[in-house]
Amino acid sequence: LASSSMPGEKSVVVRSRLRRPVVVCPPAETPALGTVILLHGFGLSGSQLSRRWSYLAATKSLRLVFLNAPKRRISCYDRFCVEAAWHDYLTDFGGTGRPHLEERVNEAHLRETRRIVRRVAAREAARYYDGDLQRIVLFGESQGACTALDAALTMPQVVGGVFASHGMLYRRTPARTTDVRITAFHGSRDDTIAPGLALKSYATLVQRCPNFSLTLQANVGHCERCDEEKSLFEQALDDWLDLTTGHHHLGGNSDDHHHDKKKTKADNKTKTKKREGRARSSAA
């Protein structure tokens, strides 16, 4: 259960349930070199986001976990409006011609999403990389970018990197000094989260995050696809996960251990049959 924490607002209580994620794995027999946890935008789904980025599983040997936000009633719209959202919106500045203003959001939902992302990241790291969170990268688009940044900056450990696409840093996110690597991408024609608002929000990261970089792409609207963003994300993955050097940490992959156990059992069965065959031959 979660409720609005804004003073003076009527409390809106919802019961949210995280939907099953879409998981795309590297080709068979190829060990994963890292995991990317991807958060879609408001009203969308992990399946929709996977159509753009699923190719990275094969080309980069990565596990891709496309999370699906819970369905929530959105307070700033009609009372019957229910959308997939990482948090509720109490205002709709972006949709009413005021994209230069930061939206007011349900902070309880924001904290809930932090916990969700933290659990998924910890599980992936423990199962596949001996608990090494440096093998985990977060990607978010629009609302997903805002919440990915919020999750990464409130984690006690540092993840491998964060790619924030067409988002911003919420004022409610405690921006501490951190070594986490953050790459932000924004379009100059964004009319949902105005470039000026995004740049102003990122000023804190410029001061407190030495590994922060921002690309403002000319003539690109909100969440508009472009080759420049695709290339930037691919390069960030190569740099953060050392995908081009050949030096990878591959310990703790339970799928590999499971495969090895099955192979060992098969080898033992073959040896037993050979021994039994030799014994029958000797008896004859």
Side-chain angles (χ1 to χ4, degrees), residues 22 81 125 142 161 212 227 249 279 281:
V22 176
C81 178
S142 191
F212 171 76
D227 291 337
H249 176 72
S281 297

Side-chain angles (χ1 to χ4, degrees), residues 134-147:
Q134 289 289 301
R135 309 309 301 175
I136 308 298
V137 167
L138 304 184
F139 173 95
E141 187 174 82
S142 191
Q143 189 193 70
C146 303
T147 49

Side-chain angles (χ1 to χ4, degrees), residues 1-138:
L1 294 176
S3 63
S4 169
S5 58
M6 297 295 295
E9 293 286 343
K10 182 179 178 180
S11 179
V12 178
V13 181
V14 298
R15 182 178 298 277
S16 60
R17 184 186 299 275
L18 191 68
R19 297 174 293 155
R20 185 182 297 276
V22 176
V23 180
V24 183
C25 300
E29 310 303 324
T30 302
L33 304 180
T35 292
V36 185
I37 300 170
L38 301 97
L39 285 74
H40 60 77
F42 173 70
L44 301 176
S45 69
S47 178
Q48 289 170 296
L49 193 59
S50 72
R51 295 170 196 162
R52 185 183 187 196
W53 298 113
S54 60
Y55 74 92
L56 293 170
T59 60
K60 302 289 186 184
S61 297
L62 298 171
R63 279 177 56 82
L64 306 175
V65 180
F66 297 90
L67 298 182
N68 278 301
K71 293 278 190 176
R72 306 185 188 277
R73 184 167 73 81
I74 306 303
S75 300
C76 66
Y77 297 146
D78 183 276
R79 65 191 182 94
F80 298 109
C81 178
V82 175
E83 295 283 359
W86 298 110
H87 58 68
D88 183 19
Y89 284 113
L90 306 179
T91 58
D92 183 27
F93 297 135
T96 55
R98 294 174 289 173
H100 59 286
L101 299 177
E102 181 176 345
E103 305 288 2
R104 294 158 62 193
V105 306
N106 186 307
E107 292 180 53
H109 294 171
L110 199 58
R111 291 192 295 271
E112 176 190 15
T113 300
R114 289 176 194 170
R115 292 191 291 269
I116 290 169
V117 175
R118 186 180 298 179
R119 283 198 303 268
V120 175
R123 185 170 64 240
E124 286 287 316
R127 184 174 183 184
Y128 297 100
Y129 316 110
D130 283 339
D132 185 5
L133 280 170
Q134 289 289 301
R135 309 309 301 175
I136 308 298
V137 167
L138 304 184

Side-chain angles (χ1 to χ4, degrees), residues 114 118 149-157 172-176:
R114 289 176 194 170
R118 186 180 298 179
L149 284 169
D150 182 83
L153 292 171
T154 55
M155 282 184 181
Q157 297 91 11
R172 302 295 181 182
T173 299
R176 56 187 173 83

Side-chain angles (χ1 to χ4, degrees), residues 217-230:
Q217 190 64 41
N219 300 317
V220 172
H222 188 68
C223 294
E224 185 177 335
R225 304 293 183 251
C226 66
D227 291 337
E228 289 82 0
E229 182 186 15
K230 178 174 174 286

